[in-house]
Amino acid sequence: MSGSTIIPWVVGNWKMNPMQANAQQLIQDLKQHLLQEVVSEHDCHIGIAPISIALLSVKTQLDDASVKIATVAQDVSRMAGTGAYTGEVSADLLVDSGIQFVLIGHSERREIFGDNPQILSDKIHYALNANMTIIYCVGESLEQRESGQAEQIVLQQICDIASVVKAEQWHNIIIAYEPIWAIGTGKTASPDDAQTMHAKIREGLNQITPEGNRIAILYGGSVKAENAVELAACADINGALVGGASLNATSFHQIALAFAKQNK
Ligand code: 13P
């Protein structure tokens, strides 16, 4: 069943980019674009996920934008509260600084930094306890897709968090489907393939929670201004998690507009 009543999210994941001066300019440019052509929060929510040391400066800069833009952390500690955990930032500390949104389970965290299901469950548990909204990323590798395992892998990643999320916390979960082979490669899943996987994810969510039809499922992987309209037209694609193209204010604005217009 389609989740078409869901307000989409378009979130820019800046990853380990850019230098400070460029970040400030990028936000200035985005704010300027939004002044010229508004993306109403009733049509599409927008978020920006900068590097951790820029979270507060970006948030300050975004706070006076003409439309509400969420500042999103790219990751969070698996430990809660405060304590002797060198290098870590807990969900409670993020919330204490006014950061309410966080990406968890990005494939780069899973593959390069060893974020396994247990670590991800801890992160999700504490982030939800701190009342954060989580963008939980799932997705299969090329090898897994080619061997016909894509759906099974992705649904397992959804099941991995089912026991951690309490019934009343599902409204704080957003899913991002990011096929690993489409990230940073210029290869986007075709709208049909993406929609097929999103429908499967929706089916899986509906088996776990009565909130299933209200959960936004974002697509990520080489989303650009050029393919955003087609992706936005798919019934179960409720937004985008954008890497490379979010580092260009014009492209990112166009992507947000594509989803906002589709939702009007
Ligand atoms: P690209 O848009 O650069 O492919 O990155 C996608 C991504 O990983 C967003 O989290």
Side-chain angles (χ1 to χ4, degrees), residues 44-119:
C44 181
H45 300 301
I46 300 177
I48 297 285
I51 55 169
S52 56
I53 49 168
L55 279 166
L56 289 186
S57 59
V58 165
K59 183 178 183 313
T60 306
Q61 244 194 308
L62 292 177
D63 278 349
D64 70 350
S66 57
V67 301
K68 201 161 140 193
I69 304 176
T71 307
V72 181
Q74 292 182 14
D75 191 30
V76 65
S77 178
R78 70 183 297 198
M79 308 309 290
T82 54
Y85 302 110
T86 304
E88 293 293 287
V89 180
S90 69
D92 308 273
L93 289 170
L94 287 172
V95 170
D96 186 51
S97 288
I99 307 299
Q100 294 289 343
F101 295 85
V102 61
L103 302 181
I104 295 183
H106 193 283
S107 59
E108 287 150 16
R109 301 284 333 159
R110 292 178 192 258
E111 289 200 323
I112 307 170
F113 301 101
D115 278 13
N116 60 35
Q118 183 55 57
I119 290 174

Coordinates of all heavy atoms in Angstrom, one line a residue, residues 44-119:
C44 N 7.2 19.5 1.8 CA 8.4 18.7 1.9 C 9.3 19.2 3.0 O 9.5 20.4 3.1 CB 9.2 18.8 0.5 SG 10.8 17.9 0.5
H45 N 9.8 18.4 3.9 CA 10.7 18.7 4.9 C 12.1 18.7 4.3 O 12.4 17.8 3.5 CB 10.7 17.8 6.1 CG 9.3 17.7 6.7 ND1 8.7 18.7 7.3 CD2 8.5 16.6 6.9 CE1 7.5 18.3 7.9 NE2 7.4 17.0 7.6
I46 N 13.0 19.6 4.8 CA 14.3 19.6 4.3 C 15.3 19.5 5.5 O 15.0 20.0 6.6 CB 14.7 21.0 3.6 CG1 13.7 21.2 2.4 CG2 16.1 21.0 3.2 CD1 14.0 22.5 1.7
G47 N 16.4 18.7 5.3 CA 17.4 18.6 6.4 C 18.8 18.6 5.8 O 19.0 18.3 4.6
I48 N 19.7 19.0 6.6 CA 21.1 19.1 6.2 C 21.9 18.3 7.3 O 21.8 18.6 8.5 CB 21.7 20.5 6.2 CG1 20.9 21.4 5.1 CG2 23.2 20.5 5.9 CD1 21.3 21.1 3.7
A49 N 22.8 17.4 6.9 CA 23.6 16.7 7.8 C 25.1 17.0 7.6 O 25.7 16.4 6.7 CB 23.4 15.1 7.6
P50 N 25.6 18.0 8.3 CA 27.0 18.4 8.1 C 27.9 17.5 9.0 O 27.5 16.7 9.8 CB 27.0 19.8 8.7 CG 25.9 19.8 9.7 CD 24.9 18.7 9.4
I51 N 29.2 17.8 8.9 CA 30.2 17.1 9.8 C 29.9 17.5 11.2 O 29.4 18.6 11.5 CB 31.7 17.5 9.4 CG1 31.9 19.0 9.4 CG2 32.0 16.9 8.0 CD1 33.4 19.4 9.3
S52 N 30.3 16.7 12.1 CA 29.9 16.9 13.5 C 30.4 18.2 14.1 O 29.6 18.9 14.8 CB 30.3 15.7 14.4 OG 31.7 15.6 14.3
I53 N 31.6 18.7 13.8 CA 32.0 19.9 14.4 C 31.3 21.1 13.8 O 31.4 22.2 14.4 CB 33.6 20.2 14.3 CG1 34.1 20.0 12.9 CG2 34.3 19.4 15.4 CD1 35.5 20.5 12.7
A54 N 30.6 20.9 12.7 CA 29.9 22.1 12.1 C 28.4 22.1 12.5 O 27.6 23.0 12.1 CB 30.0 22.0 10.6
L55 N 28.0 21.1 13.3 CA 26.5 21.0 13.6 C 25.9 22.3 14.1 O 24.9 22.8 13.7 CB 26.2 19.8 14.6 CG 26.2 18.4 14.0 CD1 26.3 17.4 15.1 CD2 24.9 18.2 13.1
L56 N 26.6 22.9 15.1 CA 26.0 24.0 15.8 C 26.1 25.3 14.9 O 25.2 26.1 14.8 CB 26.7 24.3 17.1 CG 26.3 23.3 18.2 CD1 26.9 23.6 19.5 CD2 24.8 23.1 18.3
S57 N 27.2 25.5 14.2 CA 27.3 26.7 13.3 C 26.3 26.5 12.1 O 25.6 27.5 11.8 CB 28.7 26.9 12.8 OG 29.1 25.8 12.0
V58 N 26.1 25.3 11.6 CA 25.2 25.1 10.5 C 23.8 25.4 11.1 O 22.9 26.0 10.5 CB 25.3 23.7 9.9 CG1 24.1 23.4 9.1 CG2 26.6 23.7 9.1
K59 N 23.5 24.8 12.3 CA 22.2 25.0 12.9 C 21.9 26.5 13.1 O 20.8 27.0 12.7 CB 22.1 24.3 14.2 CG 20.7 24.4 14.8 CD 20.7 23.6 16.1 CE 19.3 23.6 16.7 NZ 18.6 24.9 16.7
T60 N 22.8 27.3 13.6 CA 22.6 28.7 13.8 C 22.3 29.4 12.4 O 21.4 30.2 12.3 CB 23.9 29.3 14.4 OG1 24.2 28.6 15.6 CG2 23.7 30.8 14.7
Q61 N 23.1 29.0 11.4 CA 22.9 29.6 10.1 C 21.5 29.2 9.5 O 20.9 30.0 8.8 CB 24.0 29.1 9.1 CG 24.9 30.2 8.6 CD 25.7 29.7 7.4 OE1 26.3 28.7 7.5 NE2 25.6 30.5 6.3
L62 N 21.1 28.0 9.8 CA 19.8 27.5 9.2 C 18.6 28.1 10.0 O 17.5 28.2 9.4 CB 19.7 26.0 9.3 CG 20.7 25.2 8.3 CD1 20.5 23.7 8.5 CD2 20.4 25.6 6.9
D63 N 18.8 28.5 11.2 CA 17.7 28.9 12.1 C 17.0 30.1 11.5 O 15.8 30.3 11.8 CB 18.2 29.1 13.5 CG 18.2 27.8 14.3 OD1 17.7 26.8 13.8 OD2 18.8 27.8 15.4
D64 N 17.7 31.0 10.8 CA 16.9 32.1 10.3 C 16.6 32.0 8.8 O 16.4 33.0 8.1 CB 17.7 33.4 10.5 CG 19.0 33.5 9.7 OD1 19.4 32.5 9.1 OD2 19.6 34.6 9.7
A65 N 16.6 30.7 8.3 CA 16.2 30.5 6.9 C 14.7 30.8 6.7 O 13.9 30.8 7.7 CB 16.5 29.1 6.4
S66 N 14.2 31.1 5.5 CA 12.8 31.5 5.3 C 11.9 30.2 5.5 O 10.7 30.4 5.7 CB 12.6 32.0 3.9 OG 13.1 31.1 3.0
V67 N 12.5 29.1 5.4 CA 11.7 27.8 5.7 C 12.5 27.0 6.7 O 13.7 27.2 6.9 CB 11.5 27.0 4.5 CG1 10.7 27.7 3.4 CG2 12.8 26.4 3.9
K68 N 11.7 26.2 7.4 CA 12.4 25.4 8.5 C 13.3 24.3 7.9 O 12.9 23.6 7.0 CB 11.3 24.7 9.3 CG 11.7 24.3 10.7 CD 10.4 24.1 11.5 CE 10.6 22.9 12.4 NZ 9.3 22.5 13.0
I69 N 14.6 24.3 8.3 CA 15.5 23.3 7.8 C 16.1 22.6 9.0 O 16.6 23.2 9.9 CB 16.6 23.9 6.9 CG1 16.0 24.7 5.7 CG2 17.6 22.8 6.4 CD1 17.1 25.4 4.9
A70 N 16.0 21.3 9.0 CA 16.5 20.5 10.2 C 18.0 20.3 10.1 O 18.5 20.0 9.0 CB 15.8 19.2 10.3
T71 N 18.7 20.4 11.2 CA 20.1 20.0 11.2 C 20.2 18.6 11.7 O 19.6 18.2 12.7 CB 20.9 20.9 12.2 OG1 20.6 22.3 11.8 CG2 22.4 20.7 12.1
V72 N 20.9 17.8 11.0 CA 20.9 16.3 11.2 C 22.3 15.9 11.5 O 23.2 16.2 10.8 CB 20.3 15.6 9.9 CG1 20.3 14.1 10.1 CG2 19.0 16.1 9.5
A73 N 22.5 15.1 12.6 CA 23.8 14.5 12.9 C 24.0 13.3 11.9 O 23.1 12.6 11.6 CB 23.9 14.1 14.3
Q74 N 25.3 13.1 11.5 CA 25.5 12.0 10.6 C 25.7 10.6 11.4 O 25.7 9.6 10.8 CB 26.8 12.2 9.8 CG 26.7 13.4 8.9 CD 28.0 13.6 8.1 OE1 28.9 12.7 8.0 NE2 28.1 14.7 7.4
D75 N 25.8 10.7 12.7 CA 26.0 9.5 13.5 C 25.9 9.9 15.0 O 25.8 11.1 15.3 CB 27.4 9.0 13.3 CG 27.6 7.6 13.8 OD1 26.6 6.8 13.9 OD2 28.8 7.2 14.2
V76 N 25.9 8.9 15.8 CA 25.7 9.1 17.3 C 26.4 8.0 18.0 O 26.6 6.9 17.4 CB 24.2 9.2 17.6 CG1 23.5 7.8 17.4 CG2 24.0 9.6 19.1
S77 N 26.8 8.3 19.2 CA 27.5 7.2 20.0 C 26.5 6.1 20.4 O 25.3 6.3 20.4 CB 28.0 7.9 21.3 OG 28.6 6.9 22.1
R78 N 27.1 4.9 20.6 CA 26.3 3.8 21.2 C 26.2 3.9 22.7 O 25.5 3.1 23.3 CB 26.9 2.5 20.7 CG 28.2 2.1 21.4 CD 28.8 0.8 21.0 NE 28.0 -0.3 21.3 CZ 28.4 -1.6 21.3 NH1 29.7 -1.8 21.0 NH2 27.6 -2.6 21.5
M79 N 26.9 4.9 23.3 CA 26.8 5.1 24.7 C 25.8 6.3 25.0 O 25.7 7.2 24.2 CB 28.2 5.5 25.3 CG 29.3 4.5 24.9 SD 28.9 2.7 25.2 CE 28.9 2.7 27.0
A80 N 25.2 6.2 26.1 CA 24.2 7.3 26.5 C 24.8 8.3 27.5 O 25.8 8.0 28.1 CB 23.0 6.7 27.1
G81 N 24.2 9.4 27.6 CA 24.5 10.4 28.6 C 25.8 11.0 28.5 O 26.2 11.4 27.4
T82 N 26.5 11.2 29.6 CA 27.9 11.7 29.6 C 28.8 10.7 30.2 O 28.3 9.7 30.9 CB 28.0 13.0 30.4 OG1 27.5 12.8 31.7 CG2 27.2 14.1 29.8
G83 N 30.1 10.8 30.1 CA 31.0 9.8 30.7 C 32.3 9.7 30.0 O 32.7 10.5 29.1
A84 N 33.1 8.8 30.5 CA 34.5 8.6 30.0 C 34.5 7.8 28.7 O 34.8 6.6 28.7 CB 35.3 7.9 31.1
Y85 N 34.1 8.4 27.6 CA 34.1 7.7 26.3 C 34.7 8.6 25.3 O 34.0 9.4 24.5 CB 32.6 7.4 25.9 CG 31.9 6.5 26.9 CD1 30.9 7.0 27.7 CD2 32.3 5.2 27.1 CE1 30.3 6.3 28.7 CE2 31.7 4.4 28.1 CZ 30.7 4.9 28.9 OH 30.1 4.2 29.8
T86 N 36.0 8.6 25.2 CA 36.8 9.5 24.4 C 36.3 9.5 23.0 O 36.2 8.4 22.4 CB 38.3 9.2 24.5 OG1 38.6 9.2 25.9 CG2 39.2 10.2 23.7
G87 N 36.1 10.7 22.4 CA 35.8 10.8 21.0 C 34.3 10.6 20.7 O 33.9 10.8 19.5
E88 N 33.5 10.3 21.7 CA 32.1 10.0 21.4 C 31.2 11.2 21.7 O 31.5 12.1 22.5 CB 31.6 8.9 22.3 CG 32.3 7.6 22.0 CD 31.9 7.0 20.6 OE1 30.8 6.6 20.5 OE2 32.7 7.1 19.7
V89 N 30.0 11.2 21.0 CA 29.0 12.2 21.3 C 27.7 11.5 21.4 O 27.2 10.8 20.4 CB 28.9 13.3 20.1 CG1 27.8 14.3 20.4 CG2 30.2 14.0 19.9
S90 N 27.1 11.5 22.6 CA 25.8 10.8 22.8 C 24.6 11.5 22.2 O 24.6 12.7 22.0 CB 25.6 10.5 24.3 OG 25.3 11.8 24.9
A91 N 23.5 10.8 22.1 CA 22.2 11.4 21.7 C 21.8 12.5 22.7 O 21.3 13.5 22.3 CB 21.2 10.3 21.6
D92 N 22.1 12.2 24.0 CA 21.6 13.2 25.0 C 22.4 14.5 24.8 O 21.8 15.6 24.9 CB 21.9 12.7 26.4 CG 21.3 11.3 26.5 OD1 20.1 11.2 26.9 OD2 22.0 10.3 26.2
L93 N 23.7 14.4 24.4 CA 24.5 15.6 24.2 C 24.0 16.3 22.9 O 24.0 17.5 22.8 CB 26.0 15.3 24.1 CG 26.6 14.9 25.5 CD1 28.0 14.4 25.3 CD2 26.6 16.1 26.4
L94 N 23.7 15.5 21.9 CA 23.2 16.1 20.6 C 21.9 16.9 21.0 O 21.7 18.1 20.6 CB 22.9 15.1 19.6 CG 24.1 14.4 18.9 CD1 23.7 13.3 18.0 CD2 24.9 15.5 18.1
V95 N 21.0 16.3 21.7 CA 19.7 16.9 22.0 C 19.9 18.2 22.9 O 19.3 19.2 22.7 CB 18.7 15.9 22.7 CG1 17.5 16.6 23.3 CG2 18.3 14.9 21.7
D96 N 20.9 18.1 23.8 CA 21.3 19.2 24.7 C 21.7 20.4 23.8 O 21.6 21.5 24.2 CB 22.4 18.7 25.6 CG 22.7 19.8 26.6 OD1 21.8 20.3 27.3 OD2 23.9 20.1 26.8
S97 N 22.3 20.1 22.6 CA 22.7 21.2 21.7 C 21.6 21.5 20.7 O 21.9 22.2 19.7 CB 24.0 20.8 21.0 OG 25.1 20.8 22.0
G98 N 20.4 21.0 20.9 CA 19.3 21.3 19.9 C 19.3 20.5 18.7 O 18.6 20.8 17.7
I99 N 20.1 19.4 18.6 CA 20.0 18.5 17.4 C 19.1 17.4 17.7 O 19.3 16.5 18.5 CB 21.4 18.0 17.1 CG1 22.5 19.1 17.0 CG2 21.4 17.1 15.8 CD1 22.3 20.1 16.0
Q100 N 18.0 17.3 16.9 CA 16.9 16.4 17.1 C 16.9 15.2 16.1 O 16.1 14.3 16.2 CB 15.6 17.1 17.0 CG 15.3 18.1 18.1 CD 15.1 17.5 19.5 OE1 14.8 16.3 19.6 NE2 15.3 18.3 20.5
F101 N 17.7 15.3 15.1 CA 17.7 14.3 14.0 C 19.1 13.6 13.8 O 20.1 14.3 14.0 CB 17.3 14.9 12.7 CG 15.9 15.5 12.6 CD1 15.7 16.8 13.1 CD2 14.9 14.8 12.2 CE1 14.4 17.3 13.1 CE2 13.6 15.3 12.2 CZ 13.3 16.6 12.6
V102 N 19.1 12.4 13.5 CA 20.4 11.7 13.3 C 20.2 10.5 12.3 O 19.2 9.9 12.2 CB 20.9 11.1 14.7 CG1 19.9 10.1 15.3 CG2 22.3 10.5 14.5
L103 N 21.3 10.4 11.4 CA 21.4 9.3 10.5 C 22.0 8.1 11.3 O 23.0 8.3 12.0 CB 22.4 9.6 9.4 CG 22.2 10.7 8.5 CD1 23.3 10.8 7.4 CD2 20.8 10.6 7.8
I104 N 21.5 6.9 11.2 CA 22.0 5.7 11.8 C 22.1 4.6 10.8 O 21.1 4.4 10.1 CB 21.3 5.3 13.1 CG1 21.4 6.4 14.2 CG2 21.8 4.0 13.6 CD1 20.7 6.1 15.5
G105 N 23.2 3.9 10.7 CA 23.3 2.8 9.9 C 23.7 3.0 8.4 O 23.5 2.2 7.6
H106 N 24.2 4.2 8.2 CA 24.7 4.5 6.8 C 25.7 3.4 6.4 O 26.5 2.9 7.2 CB 25.3 5.9 6.7 CG 25.5 6.3 5.2 ND1 26.5 5.8 4.4 CD2 24.8 7.1 4.5 CE1 26.4 6.3 3.2 NE2 25.4 7.1 3.2
S107 N 25.6 3.0 5.1 CA 26.5 1.9 4.7 C 28.0 2.2 4.9 O 28.8 1.3 5.1 CB 26.2 1.5 3.2 OG 26.4 2.6 2.4
E108 N 28.3 3.5 4.8 CA 29.7 3.8 5.0 C 30.1 3.5 6.5 O 31.2 3.1 6.8 CB 30.0 5.3 4.6 CG 30.0 5.4 3.1 CD 29.5 6.8 2.6 OE1 29.4 7.7 3.4 OE2 29.2 6.8 1.4
R109 N 29.2 3.7 7.4 CA 29.4 3.4 8.8 C 29.5 1.9 9.0 O 30.3 1.4 9.7 CB 28.3 4.0 9.7 CG 28.1 5.5 9.7 CD 29.1 6.3 10.5 NE 29.8 5.6 11.5 CZ 30.9 6.0 12.0 NH1 31.6 7.1 11.5 NH2 31.5 5.4 13.0
R110 N 28.6 1.2 8.3 CA 28.5 -0.3 8.5 C 29.8 -0.9 7.9 O 30.4 -1.7 8.5 CB 27.3 -0.9 7.7 CG 26.0 -0.5 8.3 CD 24.9 -1.1 7.4 NE 23.5 -0.7 7.7 CZ 22.6 -1.4 8.4 NH1 22.9 -2.6 8.9 NH2 21.4 -0.9 8.6
E111 N 30.2 -0.4 6.7 CA 31.3 -1.1 6.0 C 32.7 -0.6 6.5 O 33.6 -1.5 6.5 CB 31.2 -0.7 4.5 CG 30.0 -1.4 3.8 CD 30.2 -1.5 2.3 OE1 30.8 -0.5 1.7 OE2 29.8 -2.5 1.7
I112 N 32.9 0.7 6.7 CA 34.2 1.2 7.0 C 34.5 1.2 8.5 O 35.6 1.0 9.0 CB 34.4 2.6 6.4 CG1 34.1 2.6 4.9 CG2 35.9 3.1 6.6 CD1 34.0 3.9 4.3
F113 N 33.4 1.5 9.3 CA 33.6 1.7 10.7 C 33.0 0.6 11.6 O 32.9 0.8 12.8 CB 33.1 3.1 11.1 CG 33.7 4.2 10.4 CD1 33.1 4.8 9.3 CD2 35.0 4.6 10.7 CE1 33.8 5.8 8.5 CE2 35.7 5.6 10.0 CZ 35.0 6.2 8.9
G114 N 32.6 -0.5 11.0 CA 32.2 -1.7 11.8 C 30.9 -1.6 12.5 O 30.7 -2.3 13.5
D115 N 30.0 -0.7 12.1 CA 28.7 -0.6 12.8 C 27.9 -1.8 12.5 O 27.3 -1.9 11.4 CB 28.0 0.7 12.4 CG 28.4 1.9 13.1 OD1 29.5 1.8 13.8 OD2 27.8 3.0 13.0
N116 N 27.9 -2.8 13.4 CA 27.1 -4.0 13.2 C 25.7 -3.9 13.8 O 25.4 -2.9 14.5 CB 27.9 -5.2 13.7 CG 28.1 -5.1 15.2 OD1 27.3 -4.5 15.9 ND2 29.3 -5.5 15.7
P117 N 24.9 -4.9 13.6 CA 23.5 -4.8 14.1 C 23.4 -4.5 15.6 O 22.5 -3.7 16.0 CB 22.9 -6.1 13.7 CG 23.6 -6.6 12.5 CD 25.0 -6.1 12.7
Q118 N 24.3 -5.1 16.4 CA 24.3 -4.8 17.8 C 24.6 -3.3 18.2 O 23.9 -2.7 18.9 CB 25.2 -5.7 18.6 CG 25.2 -5.6 20.1 CD 23.8 -5.8 20.6 OE1 23.2 -6.8 20.4 NE2 23.2 -4.8 21.3
I119 N 25.6 -2.8 17.5 CA 26.0 -1.4 17.7 C 24.9 -0.5 17.3 O 24.5 0.5 17.9 CB 27.3 -1.1 16.9 CG1 28.5 -1.9 17.6 CG2 27.6 0.4 16.9 CD1 29.8 -1.8 16.9

